[in-house]
């Protein structure tokens, strides 16, 4: 389970940015469609689906928007040396 948390940690900022989109915008649309067809789900199942949808949406957001900027960062050449503190 630690590896799973570490994998989520890679795109955790994307999850932070996008979880409310799933909770407040996308999920109400899905829930209204389910209610219209007569499907009533227990609250625990609804919460599990919201968490799963948030993780999938955030991972996609990370892959499309965040990762391209992370892989094209200029890397420092040579050893990195801390600047001297003046006395």
């Amino acid at each position: 389970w630690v590896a799973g948390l570490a994998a989520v940690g890679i795109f955790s900022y994307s999850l932070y940015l996008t979880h409310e989109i799933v909770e407040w915008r996308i999920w109400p649309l899905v829930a209204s469609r389910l209610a219209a067809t007569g499907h009533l789900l227990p609250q625990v199942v609804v919460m599990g689906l919201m968490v799963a949808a948030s993780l999938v949406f955030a991972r996609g957001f990370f892959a499309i928007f965040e990762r391209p900027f992370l892989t094209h960062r200029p890397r420092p050449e040579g050893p990195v040396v801390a600047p001297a503190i003046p006395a």
Side-chain angles (χ1 to χ4, degrees), residues 6-17:
V8 171
I10 292 171
F11 62 93
S12 62
Y13 186 66
S14 295
L15 182 61
Y16 166 73
L17 291 176

Side-chain angles (χ1 to χ4, degrees), residues 15-59:
L15 182 61
Y16 166 73
L17 291 176
T18 62
H19 76 280
E20 288 188 5
I21 294 171
V22 173
E23 288 180 26
W24 295 354
R25 306 282 188 313
I26 296 172
W27 181 251
L29 296 173
V30 173
S32 66
R33 299 271 180 177
L34 288 174
T37 60
H39 290 88
L40 297 176
L41 299 174
Q43 192 67 23
V44 173
V45 174
V46 171
M47 292 300 294
L49 290 172
M50 285 177 57
V51 168
S54 294
L55 290 171
V56 169
F57 190 82
R59 182 64 175 103

